[in-house]
Amino acid sequence: MLFEKAVIVPPFKKANPMPNEACFLYVLDGKYDSISEKEQLKLHTHESVLMKCGSYLSEMYTTGDSQKYEAIAVHFYPDILQKVYDHEIPAFLKPQNSASNMSMGKINSDILIHKYIESILFYFDNQQLVNEEILILKLKEIILLLNQTKNAPNIRNVLSNLFNPTTYTFREIVEAHVYSNISTSELAHLTNRSLSSFKREFEKIYNSSPAAYIKDKKLERAARYLKSSELRTSNIAYDCGFSDAAHFSKSFKKKYGVSPSIYRVNQIDKSMGQL
């Protein structure tokens, strides 16, 4: 499948492994969160992203009065591109040595991309007009357009490494998502391990269970925020990866002996006493 139209009733969350393909995704309606081994990216309606091969988590939401999430995806496979460019693959698609490890490139509102999506929607509505030659032309067209977008340098970096997955260590992936609101099983997916294998490796490296270590790191970060910022407690909870403010307060009190609000007052009092 090269071209895909998805209509989903959110919220919807799934693992999205792409070991041997890359993908261009355009959001027609709704919001899309993409999490890779070390990056997180949020898309809104009429925004798009180019993702090279790797492991991802995808989450879809609605916006405004709409009750659905809708998107167009173009899938890239190395063997298909080799056939499409039967003479020579363009230079910007060839692997390059780059200091950047970007796995995703966000494409902000771009009129050329909008017009391209309109043409793709036309063919979805008139599938009897589609043939192999048109598919090849539309595949080449989006690749050329991506190479000309406003943030072309980042996109070119992703294009030139579409099928070269970046290798990260287990620790790098874990530390990149300590404060993300993702489950242990989802974190295991990003490391390309089963849940049981992930837990064994985690305990070997950190001498702790994933749940205990990650919660402790989140609470330590929250304590730093309470000391140094005037953010509301609920905002600190969400910024530190807690999905529920009440659960955050209960966990914080268990670790520090007092509620977050009392902890903040105590820190202020200590600071005043040192003046």
Side-chain angles (χ1 to χ4, degrees):
M1 180 169 57
L2 297 180
F3 298 88
E4 177 185 13
K5 182 179 179 182
V7 181
I8 295 168
V9 178
F12 184 77
K13 192 173 187 177
K14 73 181 186 75
N16 187 23
M18 299 198 303
N20 300 305
E21 68 169 285
C23 178
F24 164 75
L25 183 136
Y26 182 96
V27 178
L28 293 163
D29 192 8
K31 291 191 297 184
Y32 179 85
D33 288 0
S34 183
I35 301 175
S36 71
E37 290 97 328
K38 287 196 71 176
E39 298 170 78
Q40 295 189 51
L41 186 149
K42 295 181 180 293
L43 296 181
H44 295 85
T45 302
H46 302 316
E47 291 183 333
S48 51
V49 61
L50 176 65
M51 298 176 282
K52 73 175 189 179
C53 61
S55 295
Y56 297 87
L57 299 171
S58 301
E59 191 159 7
M60 299 80 167
Y61 306 90
T62 58
T63 54
D65 297 329
S66 176
Q67 298 299 312
K68 65 180 180 179
Y69 163 88
E70 190 171 0
I72 291 287
V74 182
H75 301 274
F76 304 105
Y77 304 93
D79 56 336
I80 297 295
L81 289 183
Q82 193 69 49
K83 291 178 182 178
V84 167
Y85 294 100
D86 53 354
H87 297 295
E88 184 177 3
I89 291 179
F92 60 81
L93 279 176
K94 293 180 179 178
Q96 298 175 10
N97 294 323
S98 172
S100 172
N101 288 326
M102 289 180 60
S103 59
M104 299 184 283
K106 183 176 180 179
I107 301 137
N108 295 318
S109 297
D110 187 294
I111 188 63
L112 292 176
I113 299 294
H114 292 337
K115 293 301 181 183
Y116 175 82
I117 294 299
E118 287 179 4
S119 70
I120 293 297
L121 290 172
F122 171 80
Y123 284 118
F124 268 103
D125 292 335
N126 298 274
Q127 295 188 27
Q128 72 279 5
L129 301 178
V130 179
N131 55 40
E132 185 174 337
E133 288 76 14
I134 288 176
L135 290 176
I136 290 173
L137 285 173
K138 299 311 289 185
L139 190 62
K140 285 185 173 181
E141 183 182 353
I142 187 57
I143 290 173
L144 289 171
L145 290 176
L146 289 171
N147 194 46
Q148 298 178 53
T149 56
K150 294 175 183 176
N151 52 339
N154 288 339
I155 295 300
R156 287 195 196 103
N157 180 272
V158 178
L159 280 171
S160 65
N161 293 282
L162 271 184
F163 307 110
N164 291 329
T166 304
T167 302
Y168 298 107
T169 66
F170 184 93
R171 187 184 291 271
E172 284 177 322
I173 296 173
V174 169
E175 297 300 329
H177 295 294
V178 165
Y179 307 112
S180 301
N181 185 23
I182 62 175
S183 67
T184 303
S185 59
E186 290 169 337
L187 194 53
H189 165 74
L190 292 176
T191 64
N192 290 309
R193 286 173 170 81
S194 67
L195 182 58
S196 58
S197 175
F198 173 81
K199 287 181 176 179
R200 285 195 298 271
E201 183 70 13
F202 194 101
E203 291 179 8
K204 184 169 72 174
I205 293 175
Y206 293 97
N207 295 315
S208 174
S209 70
Y213 176 85
I214 291 172
K215 178 183 280 190
D216 202 55
K217 284 292 185 181
K218 289 178 177 179
L219 291 172
E220 288 176 2
R221 186 185 201 188
R224 292 195 296 271
Y225 278 165
L226 289 166
K227 287 181 183 179
S228 60
S229 78
E230 296 181 358
L231 290 171
R232 295 174 60 184
T233 301
S234 58
N235 290 339
I236 290 175
Y238 296 132
D239 285 349
C240 292
F242 289 91
S243 58
D244 181 83
H247 173 64
F248 161 67
S249 294
K250 183 178 179 180
S251 300
F252 191 93
K253 187 173 183 178
K254 185 175 181 180
K255 178 175 175 65
Y256 291 99
V258 294
S259 68
S261 56
I262 297 299
Y263 181 88
R264 170 175 270 163
V265 171
N266 290 345
Q267 296 304 313
I268 293 173
D269 289 344
K270 286 181 181 179
S271 297
M272 294 297 288
Q274 293 173 357
L275 294 177

